[in-house]
């Protein structure tokens, strides 16, 4: 019989035919039940629930709608053709959509409801991943579910809906406090193994470039940092509804179709149908654009590996937000004209407060200015100075030698609302941050990866201070350090004592890891072609030396193996090197020696075997080398002998019992048929047979007890 699965935790539910609600024995949650159907229907409902639980709300919604449309009342309530008035068609139409649980499940999909464990109570509670302005209590499918439900189902559905309604209100309150976004970056953060995807790295590069251009950008890795997974929705909802552009990034077809990625861009497509000024830009790398999902294939996709990709993206974003920015610009101009006599003195007062170091009063006046003009760039610059305890703009520049501001909200808003002149000035602050970070990384002149990052950062700010000179110095440091590191490893390898012991094997592995580090470091694209060629040669040699060190470690492990089985395992590791440096020949020799040792060991166990256990041990040892000489045959012989010993060892008490009983019976018959003088003899002989049978019985019982104790 098919079994329904719990909507909350996915465990099997224990239900009876007449039940319409039940409590999960695993998570303790009460829930409604769908109408009992055939196994195909049950499997479809479980499949839809699985998709919803895994976040694939669109696929789950499609399945629920199909189940509602295709459900036959005869499957749910009995044969409708047996109605008294014979109007089967009317009965079918009347009760066709009366499965309350399906309509409730459809509602859960529409609002992206996932059930998570409450840390305080350990109970399953709903959280929302598809927030809508429309309250769930006003949803049409929710109302259908309530109208079709029986009393027990109605109580469960209405209680759950009220809880979700409160969750909605709480999320909407949080989302209202968020500033509007210009761009929403949609991408897959981790792969199936939990490792960061290439999509995430590309998205982060794009994020920083957009921020530098002054766009407020939603990028989950940064924007949602420090927030719990159940608290993401308010910020995602606010960003989706405010962003005029969504960029969907992917390097694989399945990444575009991942449930949580698809959930975001499908929600944005729904918003685009209501607001045609929005734009969606699929951005891909390393894949065929024809592999994009059908829903995204209709948009102009951008190849992220193409020259000029960033310029095309910025152009699209600018076009998408042009109307909105024009409106804001007109509003901003009006505000400046109308409030010039009010905000200008306030801004001057802020400057005076900063000169005096009165940061509290300066912050108070900043808030007053922003209450009048929320998009005053100069006020945000002052807020940045207050946050950094800088009394002047020049002092702020000096403070940046120690602190960075690229991620500060005040800095982002100042860039966003600044005029071209101020924006250029703020851009230099950002360049200062990059410059300071790159200089800091240059102090770690033996960390090649850090120096490589410094080279890249200096290259992003050409012409700023001595960034060009610092870049060349970093390139020289990179080349010099790579040569020194390789020389140090080579020297340690040369000085390594070539012993056949465990410590030497470990030292070889350590050297291999050090060679690997040098081999895996990416060569900076800013290096000259001839320098890049030299580094690549060192990288190739490092890879070869890493292989040699691992090979030597494997050979040592094979040579020092203490047991034949351990030697075979170590030899198989050597065999993995193939034809490298005679690895196959050495491994085959080691395996042959180990097999000979195992064969001798097994023969010795067989020769000195005292019981069936020794023989079975010998057979198991022969099995380890079944393809060696007659090992398979010897294993068979040992097991036969062991079975024979077990049989004889177990059957002789039974023989004693049978002989004793039979002897007693014969003696009794002779006793009854002979004279008194002979009866004494038969009586004594019968007693002896009885003792013999008793010994057999006691022996059998002892053997049974010992066997049971051993099995325990």
């Amino acid at each position: 019989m098919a079994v329904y699965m719990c909507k909350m935790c996915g465990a099997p539910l224990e239900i009876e035919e007449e039940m319409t609600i039940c409590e999960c024995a695993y998570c303790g949650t009460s829930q409604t039940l769908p109408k009992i159907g055939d196994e195909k229907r049950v499997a479809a409902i479980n499949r839809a629930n699985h998709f919803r639980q895994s976040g694939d709300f669109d696929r789950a919604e499609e399945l629920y709608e199909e189940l509602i449309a295709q459900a036959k009342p005869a499957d749910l309530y009995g044969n409708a053709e047996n109605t008294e008035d014979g109007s089967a068609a009317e009965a079918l139409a009347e009760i066709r959509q009366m499965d309350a649980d399906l309509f409730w499940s459809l509602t859960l999909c529409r609002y992206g409801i996932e059930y998570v464990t409450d840390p305080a109570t350990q109970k399953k509670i709903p959280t929302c991943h598809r927030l809508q302005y429309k309250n769930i209590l006003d949803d049409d499918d929710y109302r259908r579910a309530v109208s079709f439900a029986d009393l027990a189902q109605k109580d469960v559905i209405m209680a759950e809906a009220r809880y979700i309604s409160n969750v909605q209100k709480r999320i909407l309150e949080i989302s209202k406090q968020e500033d509007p976004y210009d761009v929403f970056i949609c991408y897959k953060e981790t792969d199936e193994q939990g490792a960061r995807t290439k999509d995430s790295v590309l998205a982060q590069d794009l994020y920083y470039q957009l921020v530098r251009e002054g766009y407020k950008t939603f990028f989950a890795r940064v924007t949602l940092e420090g927030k719990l997974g159940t608290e993401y929705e308010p910020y995602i909802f606010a960003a989706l509804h405010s962003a005029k552009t969504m960029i969907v990034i992917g390097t694989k077809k399945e990444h575009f179709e991942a449930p949580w990625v698809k959930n975001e861009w499908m929600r944005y497509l729904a918003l685009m149908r209501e607001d045609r000024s929005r734009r969606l830009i699929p951005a891909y790398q390393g894949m065929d654009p024809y592999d994009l999902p059908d829903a995204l294939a209709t948009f102009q996709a951008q190849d992220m590996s193409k020259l000029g990709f960033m310029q095309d993206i910025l152009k699209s974003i600018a076009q998408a937000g042009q109307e909105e920015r024009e409106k804001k610009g007109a509003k901003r101009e009006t505000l400046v004209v109308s409030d010039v006599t009010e905000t200008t003195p306030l801004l001057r007062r802020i400057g005076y407060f900063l000169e005096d170091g009165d940061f509290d009063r300066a912050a108070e006046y900043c808030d007053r200015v922003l209450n009048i003009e929320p998009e005053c760039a100069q006020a945000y610059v002052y807020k940045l100075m207050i946050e950094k305890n800088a009394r002047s703009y020049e002092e702020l520049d000096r403070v940046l030698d120690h602190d960075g501001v690229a991620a500060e909200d005040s800095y982002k808003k100042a860039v966003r609302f600044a005029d071209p002149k101020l924006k250029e000035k703020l851009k230099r602050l950002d360049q200062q941050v990059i410059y300071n970070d790159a200089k800091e990384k240059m102090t770690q002149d033996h960390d090649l990866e850090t120096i490589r990052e410094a080279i890249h950062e200096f290259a992003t700010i050409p012409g700023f201070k001595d960034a060009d000179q610092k870049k060349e110095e970093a390139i020289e440091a990179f080349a010099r350090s790579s040569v020194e590191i390789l020389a140090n490893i080579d020297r340690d390898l040369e000085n390594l004592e070539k012993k056949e012991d465990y410590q030497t094997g470990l030292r070889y592995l350590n050297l291999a890891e050090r060679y690997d580090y040098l081999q895996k470091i990416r060569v900076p694209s800013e290096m000259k072609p001839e320098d890049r060629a030299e580094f690549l040669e060192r990288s190739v040699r490092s890879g070869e030396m890493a292989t040699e060190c691992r090979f030597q470690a494997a050979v040592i492990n094979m040579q020092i193996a203490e047991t034949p089985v351990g030697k075979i395992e170590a030899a198989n590791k050597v065999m993995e090197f193939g034809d490298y440096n005679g690895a196959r020949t050495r491994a085959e020799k080691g395996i042959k020696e180990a097999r000979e040792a195992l064969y001798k060991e097994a023969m010795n166990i067989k020769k000195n075997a005292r019981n069936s256990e020794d023989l079975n041990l010998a057979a198991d040892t022969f099995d380890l080398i079944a393809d060696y000489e007659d090992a398979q045959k010897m294993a068979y012989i040992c097991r036969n002998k062991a079975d024979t010993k077990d049989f004889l060892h177990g059957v002789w008490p039974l023989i004693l019992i049978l002989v004793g009983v039979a002897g007693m019976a014969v003696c009794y018959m002779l006793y009854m048929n002979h004279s008194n003088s002979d009866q004494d003899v038969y009586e004594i002989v019968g007693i002896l047979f009885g003792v013999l049978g008793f010994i057999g019985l006691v022996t059998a019982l002892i053997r049974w007890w010992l066997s049971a104790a051993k099995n325990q």
Side-chain angles (χ1 to χ4, degrees), residues 474-487:
I475 291 174
E476 292 177 7
F478 183 89
R480 183 175 64 254
S481 293
S482 64
V483 172
E484 291 175 357
I485 291 173
L486 183 59

Side-chain angles (χ1 to χ4, degrees), residues 1-6 11-17 33-47:
M1 176 180 176
V3 177
Y4 283 119
M5 299 299 177
C6 175
L13 296 173
E14 300 176 1
I15 60 175
E16 297 177 4
E17 189 168 348
L33 294 172
K35 301 293 183 181
I36 300 296
D38 57 23
E39 292 193 5
K40 183 177 179 182
R41 171 184 164 81
V42 174
I45 291 175
N46 286 336
R47 189 161 176 256

Side-chain angles (χ1 to χ4, degrees), residues 388 399-405 433 436:
K388 296 296 177 182
V399 170
L400 292 177
D401 287 338
H402 307 285
D403 301 313
V405 295
V433 174
N436 293 341

Side-chain angles (χ1 to χ4, degrees), residues 4 12 28 40 51 66 82 94 104 190 195 234 305 402 423 426 508 518 562 581 629-630 643:
Y4 283 119
K40 183 177 179 182
F51 285 137
E66 287 178 12
N82 295 331
E94 184 178 354
W104 176 233
T190 57
S305 60
H402 307 285
K423 186 175 287 188
L426 292 169
Y508 270 118
L518 197 59
E562 296 180 354
N581 203 9
E629 295 187 359
D630 61 345
D643 291 343

Side-chain angles (χ1 to χ4, degrees), residues 346-366:
L346 293 174
L347 289 170
R348 288 175 182 167
R349 291 290 301 277
I350 296 171
Y352 297 147
F353 288 136
L354 288 173
E355 287 179 10
D356 297 337
D358 192 345
F359 297 108
D360 292 336
R361 295 292 300 280
E364 178 187 338
Y365 272 70
C366 269

Side-chain angles (χ1 to χ4, degrees), residues 619-643:
D620 291 340
T621 307
F622 280 123
D623 282 340
L624 294 174
I625 49 170
D627 56 346
Y628 181 77
E629 295 187 359
D630 61 345
Q632 192 170 3
K633 177 182 176 182
M634 296 306 295
Y636 176 77
I637 291 171
C638 288
R639 284 204 170 86
N640 277 345
K641 286 185 177 182
D643 291 343

